[in-house]
Amino acid sequence: MILSSLSSPTKYQTILPQPKMATSLSTSTTLSLNPSLSLFTSPEPTSSTFFFFPPKSNLKTPVLKRKFTSQIQASTSDFDAGLLQQAIELVKSSPPTWQSALLSNAAIFILGSPVLLSGLSPFGFGAAFLLGTLTWRAFSYSGFLLVATYFIIGTAATKVKMDQKEAQGVAEKMKGRRGPGSVVGSSAAGCVCAALSISGIGGRALAPLWELGFVASFCTKLSDTVSSEIGKAYGRTTYLVTTFKIVPRGTEGAVSLEGTFAGILASVLLASVGCALGQINIPQAIICIIASQIANLGESIIGAVFQEKEGFQWLNNDAVNVLNISMGSILAILMQQLFLQNRLT
């Protein structure tokens, strides 16, 4: 290697002999120490021959790729945040709309499907979804939470001592998992009250009555379910409600002290939940409790006298449930009207 000249501290010229398989050039090249320059310059022509090595590119494609990807991710994040905000605003719609009811109900059923399917058959799951959507549309999240509380407590009571109940032949079918008939039978009166509220029947004057009837119907059904299931599991002595004769556990129309007490507590609990959620006030909660116990007594009489009797084969558990909760709902509405009339006179 021969250094031909050293004209400045930052530049020098290199004259290289031509190697094998090299490219010949007839000019000398001034190399720059500045790494940002990618071209060779040739200030003076010479007769020397040298080997030319192209410089490495300083373009960093991965940096551009990362920058482009980051922009896409940022755009996607903005889109997701905007969509989430719109969904939240839709759920918070007041009064509720069908869209907000469907969205809220779908999200809850998807997230809670493991719990729901433990107490519902697949078709029962579908029926419960329709019930939940109707409930949210009529009474917003408060009505939905009331039904959810009913479902959790009722399912838990049904599964108490399940093996013992199965051995005695008094357990609910499918290990207590409710089918569509059971869902409809347990919520028919509540669905009617919800439909009346959505339709605006009676205007604002009757709107509180429909909500009272809704709460009373589920207080009645929960009280009936808990009293029956706890009575089957823990009832020491069961009596036929029409004659007070001692009968085996699980007999239609039979009651027990343990089951009756548990049913009253369940009604008090659910009425308190409705009161806490702002659906009813304290006097209305008392009305729901009284109406539920009267309706349950009527349901026991119907079961003892008519159910499984000749000519009443159609009167199965689901049909009796419809009668039971309808009585509880109607009684609560009538008692409320009587209470208001007494206050006005």
Side-chain angles (χ1 to χ4, degrees):
M1 181 185 298
I2 302 173
L3 297 178
S4 60
S5 64
L6 187 60
S7 59
S8 67
T10 60
K11 294 183 179 180
Y12 62 89
Q13 290 181 328
T14 304
I15 307 301
L16 300 175
Q18 182 178 4
K20 295 180 180 180
M21 301 299 293
T23 303
S24 298
L25 298 177
S26 60
T27 58
S28 63
T29 303
T30 302
L31 300 178
S32 172
L33 295 180
N34 187 348
S36 64
L37 297 178
S38 60
L39 299 176
F40 290 88
T41 60
S42 178
E44 296 180 359
T46 64
S47 59
S48 300
T49 304
F50 61 92
F51 185 74
F52 170 68
F53 293 96
K56 294 183 178 180
S57 173
N58 288 327
L59 294 177
K60 297 182 179 180
T61 304
V63 174
L64 297 178
K65 184 177 180 181
R66 287 197 300 270
K67 183 177 180 181
F68 182 68
T69 304
S70 300
Q71 291 176 348
I72 294 178
Q73 291 174 345
S75 300
T76 304
S77 299
D78 292 341
F79 176 77
D80 292 342
L83 187 62
L84 178 61
Q85 184 63 31
Q86 290 179 3
I88 292 174
E89 293 299 326
L90 182 61
V91 170
K92 293 166 61 178
S93 299
S94 181
T97 63
W98 284 114
Q99 290 85 351
S100 65
L102 281 169
L103 178 62
S104 304
N105 206 45
I108 293 171
F109 267 67
I110 291 172
L111 295 175
S113 57
V115 176
L116 292 168
L117 289 174
S118 67
L120 295 167
S121 69
F123 288 107
F125 184 89
F129 179 82
L130 296 178
L131 168 64
T133 303
L134 179 65
T135 298
W136 194 293
R137 173 62 180 84
F139 305 116
S140 189
Y141 70 91
S142 57
F144 188 94
L145 290 177
L146 184 88
V147 177
T149 304
Y150 152 77
F151 173 78
I152 292 171
I153 298 175
T155 301
T158 302
K159 293 184 179 297
V160 169
K161 291 193 174 183
M162 178 59 72
D163 293 337
Q164 173 186 305
K165 294 174 186 176
E166 288 180 334
Q168 295 175 350
V170 296
E172 293 292 326
K173 298 177 181 179
M174 300 185 296
K175 291 189 176 295
R177 296 177 71 195
R178 294 174 173 85
S182 179
V183 172
V184 173
S186 301
S187 63
C191 289
V192 171
C193 291
L196 291 171
S197 178
I198 294 171
S199 301
I201 303 298
R204 293 184 178 181
L206 296 185
L209 289 180
W210 308 143
E211 193 157 14
L212 172 64
F214 176 83
V215 176
S217 71
F218 283 100
C219 285
T220 301
K221 184 56 191 138
L222 181 63
S223 179
D224 174 57
T225 298
V226 172
S227 63
S228 176
E229 296 299 330
I230 297 301
K232 293 175 186 177
Y234 298 103
R236 297 178 181 179
T237 307
T238 53
Y239 303 90
L240 195 64
V241 70
T242 53
T243 63
F244 287 98
K245 291 182 178 180
I246 297 176
V247 292
R249 292 177 182 176
T251 302
E252 295 297 340
V255 296
S256 67
L257 181 62
E258 295 83 359
T260 301
F261 182 70
I264 294 173
L265 285 181
S267 180
V268 171
L269 176 60
L270 195 61
S272 300
V273 171
C275 193
L277 292 171
Q279 291 190 284
I280 55 176
N281 54 35
I282 294 177
Q284 290 174 331
I286 296 173
I287 287 175
C288 287
I289 296 168
I290 296 173
S292 67
Q293 299 313 302
I294 296 173
N296 284 339
L297 177 61
E299 187 262 353
S300 296
I301 294 173
I302 292 173
V305 175
F306 300 107
Q307 194 169 357
E308 297 182 352
K309 300 298 189 294
E310 186 177 354
F312 293 92
Q313 287 80 6
W314 59 271
L315 196 61
N316 56 20
N317 283 333
D318 295 336
V320 172
N321 285 336
V322 172
L323 295 175
N324 179 32
I325 60 177
S326 298
M327 283 190 291
S329 182
I330 293 171
L331 280 172
I333 291 174
L334 292 177
M335 290 170 66
Q336 172 69 10
Q337 287 295 86
L338 182 62
F339 175 74
L340 289 177
Q341 288 179 359
N342 290 336
R343 288 186 60 183
L344 294 175
T345 56

